[in-house]
């Protein structure tokens, strides 16, 4: 099993705090992979909060899962500004095919702390779900990380 847990952008957390958050995310991922609970929205929200919660700008990531919903890889794909990140479906499909994922969970942070999904968030989720549906990859959720993470699946938007 190959896992990538790397941060590729700046954060408002001190380096040591970022290292602690990375360690926490790695521990959660290891625990969840052994218990097969990446379909549990709360556990997934906890993992993604540690991964994306410290960024000062918007970052869009994808959890790529195997058919048992175990994490193959978490990849930060797009980096934006303080309130937006451009997401390209073609690049998401390429990344998913590269690791032969069977399912995905999208995530991005809102540096403002407000986790409410915007119309753009809903639209890109629909677009990505349609694109991945063409190659039989299931979208399990899209989680927005802010002060209190929001699961679009829990809201019935996926």
């Amino acid at each position: 099993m190959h896992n990538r847990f790397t941060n590729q952008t700046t954060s408002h957390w001190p380096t040591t705090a970022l290292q602690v958050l990375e360690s926490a995310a790695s521990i959660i991922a290891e625990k969840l992979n052994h218990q097969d609970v990446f379909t549990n929205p709360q556990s997934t929200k906890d993992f993604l909060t540690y991964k994306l919660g410290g960024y000062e700008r918007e970052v869009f990531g994808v959890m790529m899962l195997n058919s048992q919903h175990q994490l193959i890889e978490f990849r930060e794909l797009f980096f934006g500004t303080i309130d937006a990140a451009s997401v390209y479906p073609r690049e998401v499909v390429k990344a998913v095919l590269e690791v032969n994922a069977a399912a995905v969970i999208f995530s991005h942070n809102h540096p403002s702390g407000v986790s409410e999904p915007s119309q753009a968030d809903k639209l890109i989720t629909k677009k990505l779900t349609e694109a991945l549906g063409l190659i039989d990859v299931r979208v399990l959720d899209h989680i927005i990380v802010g002060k209190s993470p929001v699961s679009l699946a829990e809201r019935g938007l996926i």
Side-chain angles (χ1 to χ4, degrees):
M1 177 175 64
H2 182 266
N3 289 324
R4 283 190 202 160
F5 299 107
T6 59
N7 286 323
Q8 301 173 351
T9 188
T10 58
S11 166
H12 66 273
W13 294 92
T15 302
T16 54
L18 278 177
Q19 291 167 338
V20 169
L21 292 174
E22 272 304 310
S23 294
S26 294
I27 290 166
I28 290 171
E30 187 66 25
K31 179 181 177 191
L32 294 179
N33 262 340
H34 290 299
Q35 296 178 357
D36 189 27
V37 292
F38 271 117
T39 54
N40 175 322
Q42 187 56 52
S43 298
T44 305
K45 286 190 268 189
D46 292 344
F47 171 78
L48 292 168
T49 296
Y50 288 121
K51 294 301 287 178
L52 301 175
Y55 289 131
E56 292 179 336
R57 63 181 179 155
E58 202 164 290
V59 177
F60 183 92
V62 180
M63 292 176 67
M64 294 177 272
L65 310 171
N66 65 19
S67 59
Q68 288 79 43
H69 300 148
Q70 295 170 318
L71 185 65
I72 298 169
E73 180 180 341
F74 173 80
R75 192 179 301 181
E76 296 168 352
L77 288 178
F78 305 106
F79 306 91
T81 62
I82 194 164
D83 62 357
S86 296
V87 176
Y88 302 98
R90 175 185 173 91
E91 295 303 314
V92 173
V93 170
K94 281 173 46 178
V96 167
L97 288 172
E98 185 180 306
V99 299
N100 199 29
V104 296
I105 297 173
F106 302 125
S107 60
H108 75 280
N109 64 320
H110 282 177
S112 67
V114 177
S115 303
E116 277 304 306
S118 67
Q119 193 58 38
D121 295 337
K122 295 173 191 173
L123 182 61
I124 195 61
T125 302
K126 183 176 189 259
K127 225 175 172 181
L128 291 170
T129 300
E130 290 170 355
L132 290 172
L134 294 172
I135 58 169
D136 297 321
V137 173
R138 191 166 164 225
V139 175
L140 301 179
D141 207 342
H142 183 162
I143 294 177
I144 301 170
V145 175
K147 288 181 183 166
S148 178
V150 170
S151 160
L152 272 64
E154 286 181 322
R155 294 231 177 141
L157 299 173
I158 292 185

